[in-house]
Amino acid sequence: MINTCIRLQADMVQIKSCREKLKANSKSFLQLGQILSLAGNEVRLKILFLLEEETELCPCDLSDILGMSIPAVSQHLRKLKDGDIIEARKEGQTIFYSLRNQHLKILRPFFKIINQQNSATQTV
Amino acid sequence: MINTCIRLQADMVQIKSCREKLKANSKSFLQLGQILSLAGNEVRLKILFLLEEETELCPCDLSDILGMSIPAVSQHLRKLKDGDIIEARKEGQTIFYSLRNQHLKILRPFFKIINQQNSATQTV
DNA sequence: TTTGTATTTAAGTATTTGCTTAAATAAGTA
DNA sequence: TACTTATTTAAGCAAATACTTAAATACAAA
């Protein structure tokens, strides 16, 4: 980084205040950014939505529903699990994934938007 | 894609129902996914938060606040603008960016979470 | 113990992302 | 007009992403 703000009109008080706000919330930006980047993938967003709707699903089912390979699904599930967004329950050789409560506060509004937009297009 | 679900235990009614839900909401997944992928970048999340707090900011200010080069900031702003999340206002040679109303319904909860978590750590 | 099913992991690859530096626009000022 | 400032755009590149196929792991059943 070479450039910095040159212009005389710059409000240094405002800039300093903004820098402090960022610093005070740095942990939030990191954490929320990670969750949003996980949800910001169309496949993973679908997986999360399906888990909300169906309570739990296995990689095999998801592969079938999403029409994509099992390893591809498995790798998405791994990311979601690493991000503490979903959890696994083993039953025989089947592994059932479900949403964790921890981040539902952030995710629920998304599911709501998805369902609302659908009902909106239905009524129009 | 070669594999598909083999197991006999698969609930075909459930799978078919899920496929239909995805199809019915396909537009929502695409649109929401795009917004979340934009917000799911730490730099862009900070930019959005700052625009909410300060109403409007120019690339020069943002570069200074974020501690990164002007072209880097400009390219993030372009993505946000292409996604209809922010809009530009020209004043002389300065361009002020601000949040558009359209997607604030989705973004507002994020800002709320950021501010809440900060006040939470302050009190602890 | 061998076979089959469910899943993960690893390695390879094409695409996307996010920066860098340099050049191009655009608008004010001398 | 030339010069500065604010910003964008373009080209290049390293790293991350999301898939692929093949191999490994885990469990159940024959």
Side-chain angles (χ1 to χ4, degrees), chain B residues 2 9 11 13 20 22 26-27 30 35 45 48-49 52 57 62 68 73 75 79 83 99 102 105 115 121-122:
Chain B
I2 296 165
Q9 299 96 311
D11 181 343
V13 174
E20 279 162 9
L22 291 191
S26 60
K27 202 183 276 181
L30 186 65
I35 294 168
L45 188 58
L48 294 173
F49 174 80
E52 163 82 356
L57 287 166
L62 285 167
M68 57 194 296
V73 168
Q75 282 156 23
K79 289 190 179 190
L99 296 175
Q102 198 179 345
K105 189 177 55 177
N115 279 319
T121 51
Q122 278 177 339

Side-chain angles (χ1 to χ4, degrees), chain B residues 3 6-9 41 43-44 68-69 71-72 75-76 79 90 92-93:
Chain B
N3 292 29
I6 322 174
R7 69 190 177 98
L8 300 171
Q9 299 96 311
N41 171 283
V43 173
R44 286 193 295 266
M68 57 194 296
S69 76
Q75 282 156 23
H76 281 300
K79 289 190 179 190
K90 205 166 194 172
Q93 30 182 355

Side-chain angles (χ1 to χ4, degrees), chain A residues 25-41:
Chain A
N25 293 301
S26 59
K27 201 182 279 180
S28 299
F29 287 116
L30 186 65
Q31 289 178 341
L32 183 56
Q34 280 174 345
I35 295 169
L36 294 183
S37 73
L38 286 171
N41 170 285

Side-chain angles (χ1 to χ4, degrees), chain B residues 16-57:
Chain B
K16 204 190 164 201
S17 150
C18 285
R19 283 212 198 100
E20 279 162 9
K21 278 181 194 167
L22 291 191
K23 203 172 179 184
N25 293 300
S26 60
K27 202 183 276 181
S28 298
F29 287 115
L30 186 65
Q31 289 178 340
L32 183 56
Q34 280 174 344
I35 294 168
L36 295 181
S37 73
L38 286 170
N41 171 283
E42 213 180 319
V43 173
R44 286 193 295 266
L45 188 58
K46 286 177 181 171
I47 290 175
L48 294 173
F49 174 80
L50 289 169
L51 292 180
E52 163 82 356
E53 293 276 316
E54 308 295 323
T55 308
E56 60 177 15
L57 287 166

